[in-house]
Amino acid sequence: MIGTPPAAWLAVGFSVAASCCALAALSPRHRRAAIGAMFAFSCAGMFLGLAVDAEHGRILAFATLCESGGRDWLGGLRTHWLELPWMHGGMLAGAVLAMPYAAASRGHVPRCARAASHCLCCVLMLAGMNLAMLPWQGGVLRPDPLSLAGVMTGGMAWSMALWLLLERGAGIVYGLLAVEPAGYRNDG
């Protein structure tokens, strides 16, 4: 990270800031704090896991594989999971820790629907983290811990934004079909 050019710091900062702004804009007012907490806990877990992976030398092995290029996307995805297991586990642990707080902001939604929605959010965040790795496949970006964390944070945030849009769409469909659960409100 010492040799990271200033432009990389700016790009990562912009990615994270734009991601947070998108989440805030898409979040319903009464849920902004809960969604922000879920994102923050997930990021904290991801960063802690990334630190553990770095301590075991896994980031360097991953960076070497990324720089060599030539791997197919599924092979790169497999490598991503095998070389950075603590990072993925940390992100999931952070998301699970934030679930009770995030669920409390949706007390009017049935418990099983809340659980399913949060599981979908976790799956989408994992997908976002992994899709964010595509620029490394062809050697477009230099894999260092800073750019790795920044781009994956952006991938997580944009995945959460997609999750919010899906939730909003589900609320609209419930309203159109007149099968809206008792007390459901879609104020987003």
Side-chain angles (χ1 to χ4, degrees):
M1 279 198 329
I2 301 292
T4 302
W9 287 94
L10 289 173
V12 168
F14 177 76
S15 169
V16 172
S19 303
C20 291
C21 288
L23 273 179
L26 289 171
S27 299
R29 278 184 294 284
H30 70 284
R31 292 185 55 210
R32 280 193 183 128
I35 290 169
M38 189 168 179
F39 181 64
F41 274 65
S42 298
C43 287
M46 180 184 77
F47 293 141
L48 288 173
L50 194 58
V52 172
D53 286 331
E55 202 53 39
H56 290 95
R58 290 190 167 121
I59 289 180
L60 294 175
F62 180 68
T64 303
L65 286 170
C66 287
E67 285 177 339
S68 67
R71 295 184 63 96
D72 63 307
W73 185 74
L74 287 176
L77 182 64
R78 182 177 176 275
T79 302
H80 190 244
W81 276 86
L82 293 175
E83 293 297 331
L84 303 171
W86 287 99
M87 181 197 66
H88 290 91
M91 192 284 302
L92 285 173
V96 168
L97 283 173
M99 277 185 188
Y101 180 62
S105 69
R106 301 177 66 203
H108 56 282
V109 177
R111 187 173 284 154
C112 62
R114 283 184 280 182
S117 176
H118 289 295
C119 288
L120 174 64
C121 183
C122 288
V123 168
L124 288 174
M125 283 194 294
L126 283 172
M129 284 172 58
N130 288 288
L131 287 174
M133 299 308 298
L134 287 176
W136 277 282
Q137 286 302 118
V140 174
L141 294 175
R142 184 175 64 102
D144 60 49
L146 172 69
S147 56
L148 184 72
V151 172
M152 286 191 299
T153 300
M156 282 172 41
W158 287 106
S159 296
M160 284 186 79
L162 173 63
W163 168 66
L164 288 168
L165 289 173
L166 290 172
E167 272 197 340
R168 186 174 291 174
I172 290 169
V173 169
Y174 284 141
L176 290 175
L177 297 175
V179 292
E180 188 173 290
Y184 183 85
R185 66 175 198 241
N186 185 14
D187 66 349

